[in-house]
């Protein structure tokens, strides 16, 4: 009888050690398309990978399509100046490029590795999302929906 109890305790212990019942990462995708003004359209796509309530990774692609190349150049300057303070922050990667009549801005932020204190130091507005070094999925979803995006879990 004593051996059966020890065996049962060992089995339960092995389940915990091997990760049985571990929570899987999930994905939230938020999108929005709109016409900003005549001849200027935008498409926003945000992919959020999260586990439990904490965001692990955010990948975004924002596209602006415009007939006016000068508009795209001005927008490119604006977007680059917005992202440039983060250029030396590890695990925060961005790229802004123009191809034809489309400006594409992509970002990839690894919230499991990034220095969130540094992000708050760069822009105190980041405090609205970063709490105790973590970003909650529901807070980010609310922020995207406030921009008019439609979000769905996959």
């Amino acid at each position: 009888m004593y051996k059966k109890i020890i065996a049962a305790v060992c089995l339960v212990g092995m389940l915990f050690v091997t990760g049985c019942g571990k929570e899987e990462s999930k994905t939230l995708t938020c999108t929005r398309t709109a016409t900003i003004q005549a001849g200027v359209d935008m498409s926003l796509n945000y992919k959020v990978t999260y586990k439990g309530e904490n965001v692990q990774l955010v990948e975004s692609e924002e596209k602006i399509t415009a007939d006016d190349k000068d508009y795209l150049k001005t927008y490119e300057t604006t977007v680059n100046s917005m992202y440039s303070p983060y250029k030396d922050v590890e695990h925060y990667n961005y790229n802004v490029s123009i191809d034809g009549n489309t400006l594409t801005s992509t970002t990839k932020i690894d919230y499991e590795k990034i220095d969130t204190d540094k992000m708050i130091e760069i822009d105190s507005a980041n405090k609205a999302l970063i709490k105790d070094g973590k970003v909650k999925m529901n807070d980010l979803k609310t922020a995207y929906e406030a921009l008019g995006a439609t979000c769905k879990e996959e």
Side-chain angles (χ1 to χ4, degrees), residues 19 22 26 39 42 46 49 65-66 70 73 86 131 140:
K22 263 191 170 179
K26 296 179 183 177
M42 78 173 176
Y46 305 101
T49 304
T65 305
D70 289 333
K73 285 287 188 190
Y86 299 94
K131 296 173 181 99
L140 198 55

Side-chain angles (χ1 to χ4, degrees), residues 62 64 72-85 94-97 103-107:
E62 302 169 327
I64 302 288
L72 290 178
K73 285 287 188 190
T74 300
Y75 200 78
E76 179 184 38
T77 301
T78 302
V79 172
N80 273 321
S81 67
M82 184 175 71
Y83 287 132
S84 66
Y94 71 93
N95 184 55
V96 181
S97 62
L103 177 139
T104 302
S105 168
T106 58
T107 60

Side-chain angles (χ1 to χ4, degrees), residues 2 28 31 64 72 77 81 87 95 105 122-123 134 139:
Y2 182 69
L28 175 76
T31 59
I64 302 288
L72 290 178
T77 301
S81 67
K87 72 179 187 295
N95 184 55
S105 168
I122 290 169
D123 185 351
K134 304 283 183 192
D139 292 345

Side-chain angles (χ1 to χ4, degrees), residues 2-15:
Y2 182 69
K3 288 181 181 181
K4 287 182 182 180
I5 293 172
I6 290 174
V9 169
C10 287
L11 180 61
V12 171
M14 284 186 352
L15 290 176

